Amino acid sequence: MTLKPHMEQKKFDYNSFIGMILLGAIMLWYFYNNAPEVEPENTTTEQLTDLSKNVTTQNTITNNIPTIISDSLEQVAAINKLGAFALSAINGSEGNSVIENELVKLTIDNKGGQIIEALIKTYKTHDSLPLYMIKDNNSSFNINFGTTDNRILNTKDLFFAPSLTQNGNNTVLSMKLKVSDNQYLEYRYEIKPNDYMVDFSIRSQGLSSVINSSNPISLDWSLRGYRHEKSIRTENTMYSYYYYKTEGEVDYLNAGNTEIVNDIDWVAYKQHFFTSNLLTGTPFNNATVTSTDLVKDDKIDTVFTKKYELKTPLALTAGELNYNMKWFYGPNDYNLLKTFKGTDLDETADLGWGIFGFLNRNLFYPVFNFLQGFMGNFGLIIILMTIVVRVFMSPLVYKSYLSSAKMKVIRPELTALNEKYPGKENAMKRQQETMAIQRKAGVSMMSGCIPAVLQMPVFFALFKFFPTNLALRQESFLWAPDLSSYDTVFKLPFSIPFYGDHVSLFPILASVAIFFYMKMNQSQQANMQAPAQEGMPDMGKMMKYMIYFSPIMMLFFFNNYASSLSLYYFISNLLTIAIMLIIKHYVIDEDKIHAQIEENKKKPEKTKSKFRQKIDSAMKQAQEQQAQQKKGKK
């Protein structure tokens, strides 16, 4: 009785085995008699050798390990899973292709047809390693689509067949995801000599009956940005942004945010000095852009700084995909980016908005480029540029000092006026008389303020110019090995809040220079101010505090900033001190100024402007109200 079940089990296994063989044979016969013939493409050493003869650089197809599925059941499984695209799994091959020029090297994987390595050949990281924008799966490029047989597929999971050719001096890599020889989805890469911009197109042929147009087709591109610079704080917090051009305007996205935008011409994953860009000739609509900060603590060494994501629908034209795009993996160099006319990519160089960007584009970059044309020492270029700026700004310094000298001459009269009209009840009268004295003497408080205000745009423009100028990256000067980052003369065994774990010398020199500048400027500022009035803050005391507070602030803030900026402010303050001494001792004559003021007083007062009349009228009304309130209290 125990043998019967055993024999039945053996009989069942035998029959199943025979059935599986027959089924496999039938499916194998059916597939090879009905599937289109496929011409192997670049899968043998002989083919690759012939192809490489036509390539002038090391653009190659390597490591193609065929993954042809010979087992009939696996073929059936591939057909069931992928449908019309089963050919990519059955005849697919592991491997990658390399296209490169003098500037950039791209490695494209057969699986997914996407870039798996992007090397910028002409630059290194802060620790002298090769500078990769893409490596070790930090990036993903995928198209998600539906098929007419109700399957949802992702290109990142499918095998593309590579084909490498030449188009003149350009190298062309065609990656085809095949349904048959005449039906495929193609990624086409074309790289030119000495160019960071790589032409890229997505197009399909004969897939109108295969791709389900009722299902959304989605392009997803994400990248986790590698850290490249010495200072994580400045690289990640101040200069890494998600830029995109939408509806003709360039906008940016702060980390931690997501937006849905239309009419996108390009997106830029910017990482301080380097950027990964995708440009499209057919604008993306209803695209979702996302930026995520990956740095939880900038005191801890990190590999990645930010994650950038683009999710956008793709539109079919007559049932087919047809997008002309471009990849850009390269430096975020203003001089380079402005050569791509009509793209506005130069706006990702972050030169500042409004007047600050205008000054950088039209003044400071032309001056810097001119000096760079005949001088290779960038420290000396910064010093010469500082001299040019200070000479250019010296008329404003003179104007400010002249106003200070005039205020110094009439100061005794203002002091006597305070004594003549003491108390809060005479505040309006005292102010009115003060303005009258200044007007008769030809002195205006604004004449001292305006020069200082006009210098502020220069200050903020250069605050953007030096830390974002790629030409200064990894250029040394004196003890600073990299003018685009902070210099270190002493490493602290601990970290000071807001200061850091190192001591930079250029910020110390800049702080000392600004201290002596403010100390020297204190008397000038005191002259500019009217004597302290009752009930009003004493600006003189506040300035005394600022003399010590400002250098300390500068020391802490600039300790982690670009040494080129500290060098500029150090030289700038020294030059300003020298200019002020020259003006004081060789240009300004206080006796002549006093004589001129006395002459101005003798002249009949000019007709008041309507604006001045309104001010005087308002002050008179306030004075009358104050007098009435005083009588009411009595």
Side-chain angles (χ1 to χ4, degrees):
M1 295 295 293
T2 58
L3 294 175
K4 187 175 181 180
H6 180 69
M7 293 300 293
E8 288 177 354
Q9 184 67 33
K10 285 185 68 175
K11 183 178 180 181
F12 173 77
D13 288 342
Y14 180 80
N15 291 335
S16 298
F17 179 73
I18 295 294
M20 290 175 63
I21 292 176
L22 292 174
L23 179 63
I26 292 170
M27 293 301 299
L28 185 63
W29 175 85
Y30 177 83
F31 179 81
Y32 281 105
N33 283 274
N34 289 277
E37 292 184 6
V38 180
E39 183 178 341
E41 199 166 347
N42 302 309
T43 57
T44 66
T45 304
E46 186 176 314
Q47 286 174 312
L48 297 179
T49 304
D50 293 339
L51 184 61
S52 63
K53 292 178 182 179
N54 299 321
V55 182
T56 57
T57 61
Q58 296 181 2
N59 300 288
T60 57
I61 301 174
T62 59
N63 302 323
N64 280 275
I65 303 172
T67 59
I68 297 176
I69 299 174
S70 57
D71 187 277
S72 59
L73 294 180
E74 292 182 2
Q75 291 178 355
V76 172
I79 294 171
N80 289 335
K81 181 180 180 180
L82 303 177
F85 288 92
L87 194 63
S88 70
I90 294 172
N91 281 359
S93 60
E94 298 278 358
N96 54 64
S97 306
V98 175
I99 55 173
E100 63 181 311
N101 57 22
E102 297 81 356
L103 304 176
V104 65
K105 177 181 178 181
L106 302 180
T107 303
I108 294 90
D109 197 353
N110 289 358
K111 189 174 183 179
Q114 62 179 313
I115 300 171
I116 58 170
E117 284 188 4
L119 172 67
I120 302 178
K121 299 168 70 172
T122 50
Y123 294 91
K124 300 288 185 180
T125 64
H126 71 97
D127 46 0
S128 301
L129 296 176
L131 199 150
Y132 283 93
M133 302 299 290
I134 298 178
K135 188 181 180 183
D136 297 334
N137 300 315
N138 72 313
S139 177
S140 175
F141 184 85
N142 177 58
I143 295 178
N144 175 276
F145 62 97
T147 62
T148 52
D149 54 2
N150 297 320
R151 290 176 172 82
I152 302 297
L153 302 179
N154 293 287
T155 57
K156 65 180 181 180
D157 301 325
L158 305 176
F159 285 94
F160 288 66
S163 174
L164 197 60
T165 57
Q166 290 294 121
N167 181 18
N169 293 326
N170 302 346
T171 301
V172 178
L173 174 65
S174 171
M175 306 291 292
K176 290 182 179 179
L177 175 60
K178 291 187 175 183
V179 171
S180 69
D181 281 345
N182 299 319
Q183 294 175 286
Y184 52 81
L185 173 67
E186 180 185 27
Y187 293 169
R188 185 180 185 274
Y189 301 85
E190 182 168 352
I191 191 169
K192 314 173 196 65
N194 287 298
D195 198 344
Y196 289 103
M197 195 74 77
V198 178
D199 290 337
F200 175 65
S201 63
I202 300 174
R203 72 183 188 94
S204 64
Q205 178 175 307
L207 297 186
S208 58
S209 61
V210 177
I211 295 178
N212 189 347
S213 59
S214 63
N215 285 352
I217 302 173
S218 176
L219 183 152
D220 299 337
W221 177 41
S222 65
L223 180 141
R224 289 178 297 161
Y226 280 112
R227 174 193 176 186
H228 298 135
E229 308 307 324
K230 183 178 179 181
S231 173
I232 300 177
R233 180 181 175 186
T234 53
E235 177 181 10
N236 186 55
T237 306
M238 297 183 178
Y239 302 115
S240 292
Y241 293 98
Y242 192 134
Y243 283 91
Y244 55 91
K245 185 178 180 181
T246 173
E247 298 177 354
E249 300 288 337
V250 177
D251 203 351
Y252 69 94
L253 185 71
N254 284 315
N257 292 326
T258 297
E259 290 184 5
I260 298 177
V261 289
N262 292 318
D263 198 29
I264 290 184
D265 292 330
W266 52 257
V267 296
Y269 300 167
K270 186 204 169 192
Q271 303 167 243
H272 198 167
F273 285 116
F274 301 94
T275 184
S276 306
N277 294 4
L278 176 62
L279 301 86
T280 175
T282 303
F284 300 138
N285 286 309
N286 199 36
T288 302
V289 293
T290 304
S291 177
T292 307
D293 193 350
L294 302 179
V295 179
K296 303 304 179 183
D297 187 349
D298 59 16
K299 298 182 183 65
I300 301 174
D301 194 14
T302 186
V303 177
F304 301 107
T305 56
K306 280 185 171 58
K307 182 178 181 181
Y308 306 91
E309 296 173 271
L310 167 70
K311 297 180 182 296
T312 181
L314 296 181
L316 293 172
T317 304
E320 303 286 352
L321 287 172
N322 191 5
Y323 280 81
N324 292 320
M325 303 180 183
K326 293 179 184 293
W327 289 113
F328 177 90
Y329 292 100
N332 204 66
D333 180 10
Y334 171 74
N335 289 324
L336 169 67
L337 296 177
K338 70 179 181 181
T339 62
F340 300 118
K341 302 297 184 181
T343 64
D344 292 329
L345 285 174
D346 58 295
E347 293 193 29
T348 65
D350 194 18
L351 302 183
W353 56 272
I355 184 65
F356 313 128
F358 177 83
L359 288 173
N360 280 327
R361 284 188 294 270
N362 297 286
L363 178 61
F364 298 128
Y365 257 106
V367 172
F368 185 89
N369 292 337
F370 172 76
L371 295 174
Q372 187 181 357
F374 61 88
M375 183 177 295
N377 188 308
F378 286 91
L380 294 180
I381 290 176
I382 293 172
I383 293 173
L384 285 176
M385 186 173 175
T386 308
I387 294 173
V388 171
V389 172
R390 295 321 302 171
V391 170
F392 177 76
M393 300 295 290
S394 59
L396 295 178
V397 177
Y398 169 77
K399 191 72 174 177
S400 179
Y401 207 95
L402 180 62
S403 298
S404 173
K406 288 181 178 180
M407 286 296 295
K408 182 179 180 181
V409 171
I410 66 172
R411 189 174 180 82
E413 294 183 55
L414 299 179
T415 302
L417 188 64
N418 282 348
E419 295 173 356
K420 183 178 180 180
Y421 298 103
K424 294 182 179 180
E425 65 276 8
N426 294 317
M428 288 297 176
K429 179 66 175 176
R430 188 167 56 243
Q431 184 65 25
Q432 201 171 19
E433 292 295 327
T434 298
M435 294 174 66
I437 291 173
Q438 292 175 348
R439 192 162 55 247
K440 289 179 181 179
V443 178
S444 172
M445 291 296 292
M446 294 301 294
S447 62
C449 297
I450 290 176
V453 171
L454 291 177
Q455 294 183 66
M456 293 303 291
V458 173
F459 176 89
F460 287 111
L462 292 172
F463 188 79
K464 283 287 189 180
F465 176 83
F466 287 112
T468 61
N469 192 332
L470 181 74
L472 300 176
R473 185 178 184 270
Q474 296 182 353
E475 293 292 340
S476 62
F477 181 66
L478 298 178
W479 57 85
D482 185 352
L483 286 169
S484 71
S485 188
Y486 57 82
D487 64 285
T488 303
V489 293
F490 183 73
K491 188 75 173 178
L492 298 173
F494 50 84
S495 180
I496 300 174
F498 305 107
Y499 185 74
D501 60 356
H502 63 277
V503 176
S504 299
L505 184 53
F506 273 128
I508 293 175
L509 294 177
S511 299
V512 171
I514 198 172
F515 171 79
F516 283 105
Y517 162 71
M518 294 186 72
K519 192 77 173 175
M520 180 180 175
N521 200 41
Q522 183 183 10
S523 60
Q524 178 186 347
Q525 294 295 329
N527 293 333
M528 288 296 299
Q529 298 160 9
Q533 299 181 15
E534 189 175 345
M536 300 294 289
D538 189 345
M539 297 302 295
K541 288 184 178 179
M542 295 180 65
M543 285 302 300
K544 288 179 181 178
Y545 293 130
M546 289 299 295
I547 289 175
Y548 300 97
F549 184 66
S550 294
I552 293 174
M553 280 187 60
M554 187 171 194
L555 180 64
F556 271 73
F557 184 80
F558 284 89
N559 193 61
N560 292 286
Y561 227 67
S563 54
S564 55
L565 191 63
S566 299
L567 172 61
Y568 166 78
Y569 286 132
F570 171 55
I571 301 299
S572 179
N573 285 318
L574 289 182
L575 290 173
T576 303
I577 291 172
I579 291 171
M580 288 176 64
L581 289 173
I582 292 171
I583 291 173
K584 180 179 180 180
H585 294 289
Y586 299 102
V587 179
I588 297 292
D589 188 333
E590 291 186 3
D591 292 335
K592 289 184 178 180
I593 292 173
H594 187 272
Q596 183 62 50
I597 289 175
E598 292 300 323
E599 286 294 324
N600 291 340
K601 289 180 179 179
K602 296 176 184 179
K603 296 178 181 179
E605 191 171 351
K606 295 180 180 179
T607 304
K608 295 180 181 179
S609 64
K610 291 183 179 180
F611 179 71
R612 172 58 62 185
Q613 289 175 4
K614 288 182 179 180
I615 291 178
D616 289 347
S617 177
M619 293 183 70
K620 185 177 180 180
Q621 289 178 5
Q623 188 176 352
E624 290 174 353
Q625 290 176 0
Q626 194 176 47
Q628 289 176 0
Q629 290 175 359
K630 185 177 180 182
K631 288 179 181 180
K633 289 181 180 180
K634 291 181 178 180

